[in-house]
Amino acid sequence: MPISARIKTSIQNSSWIRRMFEEGAELKARLGPDQVYDFTLGNPDLEPPPRFQEALVQAAQDSSPGLHCYMPNAGFLSTRQALAGRLSRLHDLEFKAQDLVLTCGASGGLNVILKALLDPGDEVVILAPYFPEYLFYVDNHGGVPRVVETDEHFLPDLDRLTAALSPRTRAVIINSPNNPTGQIYAAATLKELGRFLVHHAGRHGRPVYLVADEPYRHLVYDGAEVPSVFAAYANTLLATSFSKDLSIPGERLGYVAVSPRATGRGELEGALVLANRILGFVNAPALMQRVVAALTEVSLDITPYLRRRDLFCNVLAAAGYDFLRPQGAFYLFPQAPGGDDLSFVDRLKEEDILAVPGRGFGRAGYFRLAFCVSEKVIEAAAPGFARARQKALG
Ligand SMILES: Cc1ncc(COP(=O)(O)O)c(C=O)c1O
């Protein structure tokens, strides 16, 4: 076998994603890309804000020496200072440049965090439905995922969560606003979770870190607020990026921030910097670091996402689907009519609609729709959604 048994298993475990991709590509080749309503990919389709283009041109024209060299593995000091200022204002807590490590997106950040925290066999609690890559990231660093179901509103079920904690628990990953559900965790829930983790860590004599994956923090609707995880729990690490709020996922820029109140803050920060280096990232992309330093107060105009969310909710409600209105991010996670997500996704495909079965996110019986597509596509798919549901319910 030319590849490792481990990666072979990973490929098999992600085969449903491949299947959707391959079947979608086949359908598009047969019918033409405009005839297929593809809601599978969470790939932001809005252009970055105009200020991004300006900052990029300005950064490209700067011919000061040394701008394209290797740099400290944590990133440019000036960028970390600018972002530390932004974080301090946002969370009402004083962050310093050394609390931040610039990373290749939130994905890079999560891998850096897990590399820094985990010994082989350490457990990481993950809440289902989840971003599927978490399972791979935990495995990358010798950890063991402990998947815990959320409640019927996709919010943390603290009884189940605490029952899943063990002496080997090292971290709990949370993602709010959530992919795939669009739900936001309340401040009271985070506080309660924090209290449980303090209690648990006290009993077992080692800290449990709360890892907040927040790339959708600035994609929220109806004036919703995303409470500060740092306010809820001292041993918190943030992984985030500019992929969604500047709409630049291809540029691979994000960062990790350590709570100024975290146990072992200095040692932890040193470990994150080394992890960034030895995972082969070395440092986050230099040009982008300089660009985002000028954009700390800039975010995408999310009006198009809001309009799509409202339209999509109307389309699904009119067709009789059961779903929770997303408060943030750009996904809907409705129940699969008839109960079986795989066969329902097949029914949608008969209507030239591509969606992702919920079991890929750890919750069968649901399916995910990403609204990174125009309103026209959502409108054109409406009759297909209605027919697929009627057929599924026979
Ligand atoms: C929940 C969640 N975390 C992390 C990521 C990775 O984002 P990035 O592009 O910043 O690596 C995504 C991307 O879709 C995501 O949905």
Side-chain angles (χ1 to χ4, degrees):
M1 190 162 59
I3 58 173
S4 82
R6 208 179 163 102
I7 203 79
K8 195 168 173 112
T9 308
S10 295
I11 290 171
Q12 277 156 3
N13 288 346
S14 67
S15 64
W16 64 270
I17 302 178
R18 250 196 8 241
R19 199 186 115 190
M20 285 312 303
F21 181 77
E22 282 163 10
E23 289 181 3
E26 189 269 324
L27 204 59
K28 284 177 188 172
R30 191 152 45 84
L31 303 178
D34 293 344
Q35 301 308 311
V36 179
Y37 313 115
D38 187 350
F39 302 106
T40 56
L41 278 186
N43 191 4
D45 63 319
L46 302 182
E47 287 305 309
R51 293 270 305 277
F52 171 80
Q53 198 74 26
E54 288 160 24
L56 180 60
V57 169
Q58 209 168 5
Q61 283 172 340
D62 188 346
S63 54
S64 312
L67 291 179
H68 306 285
C69 292
Y70 287 119
M71 67 176 79
N73 301 114
F76 286 126
L77 180 62
S78 50
T79 305
R80 287 186 294 139
Q81 276 168 337
L83 293 173
R86 182 197 201 193
L87 271 187
S88 304
R89 289 189 291 280
L90 208 58
H91 295 279
D92 199 18
L93 193 64
E94 199 186 335
F95 287 85
K96 299 252 188 277
Q98 64 263 30
D99 299 323
L100 276 78
V101 178
L102 289 153
T103 58
C104 293
S107 315
L110 289 166
N111 275 280
V112 163
I113 289 172
L114 294 170
K115 174 84 177 164
L117 291 181
L118 298 184
D119 279 316
D122 276 349
E123 295 175 8
V124 179
V125 172
I126 289 169
L127 304 183
Y130 47 69
F131 177 52
E133 306 301 272
Y134 291 158
L135 301 181
F136 299 116
Y137 299 165
V138 170
D139 179 68
N140 282 347
H141 307 290
V144 178
R146 287 277 168 250
V147 174
V148 175
E149 286 294 329
T150 52
D151 68 16
E152 71 277 19
H153 303 295
F154 308 124
L155 298 173
D157 176 331
L158 294 178
D159 288 338
R160 283 195 199 137
L161 202 156
T162 45
L165 299 175
S166 87
R168 293 303 308 263
T169 308
R170 192 57 158 152
V172 176
I173 301 180
I174 57 170
N175 167 226
S176 161
N178 185 267
N179 172 10
T181 68
Q183 298 308 303
I184 297 174
Y185 299 169
T189 307
L190 297 176
K191 276 228 159 76
E192 189 74 353
L193 171 59
R195 266 199 295 276
F196 281 127
L197 295 182
V198 168
H199 178 70
H200 182 81
R203 265 190 25 224
H204 297 286
R206 72 169 191 163
V208 176
Y209 289 92
L210 185 59
V211 178
D213 177 25
E214 289 193 355
Y216 300 100
R217 167 170 275 276
H218 300 286
L219 261 71
V220 292
Y221 311 116
D222 313 323
E225 293 211 353
V226 182
S228 171
V229 268
F230 294 109
Y233 184 57
N235 286 328
T236 291
L237 295 164
L238 170 74
T240 190
S241 74
F242 301 92
S243 295
K244 322 288 166 159
D245 58 354
L246 289 180
S247 222
I248 55 166
E251 302 296 350
R252 309 309 306 136
L253 195 72
Y255 61 92
V256 166
V258 178
S259 169
R261 299 187 291 143
T263 309
R265 175 187 185 186
E267 200 175 4
L268 198 49
E269 289 167 357
L272 293 169
V273 173
L274 180 73
N276 209 27
R277 181 182 121 199
I278 66 180
L279 284 173
F281 299 122
V282 182
N283 57 252
L287 181 65
M288 279 305 131
Q289 291 193 36
R290 291 195 284 123
V291 172
V292 302
L295 300 175
T296 52
E297 301 305 328
V298 177
S299 257
L300 193 68
D301 173 8
I302 60 164
T303 314
Y305 288 137
L306 173 67
R307 282 212 217 99
R308 295 167 185 182
R309 182 206 62 165
D310 290 346
L311 173 65
F312 222 154
C313 287
N314 290 343
V315 162
L316 294 177
Y321 285 83
D322 253 318
F323 62 94
L324 290 177
R325 198 175 181 80
Q327 301 167 285
F330 37 54
Y331 308 99
L332 275 148
F333 200 61
Q335 273 181 33
D340 180 4
D341 50 328
L342 279 188
S343 59
F344 188 69
V345 161
D346 280 343
R347 284 220 181 276
L348 287 174
K349 203 152 57 79
E350 290 164 12
E351 303 292 341
D352 306 326
I353 295 172
L354 302 178
V356 188
R359 68 190 58 195
F361 305 92
R363 175 107 22 131
Y366 292 77
F367 62 103
R368 192 190 77 170
L369 300 165
F371 43 93
C372 300
V373 294
S374 70
E375 287 174 73
K376 258 200 203 141
V377 175
I378 299 168
E379 262 161 14
F385 275 109
R387 276 194 301 269
R389 180 175 175 277
Q390 278 159 7
K391 280 193 211 158
L393 298 179

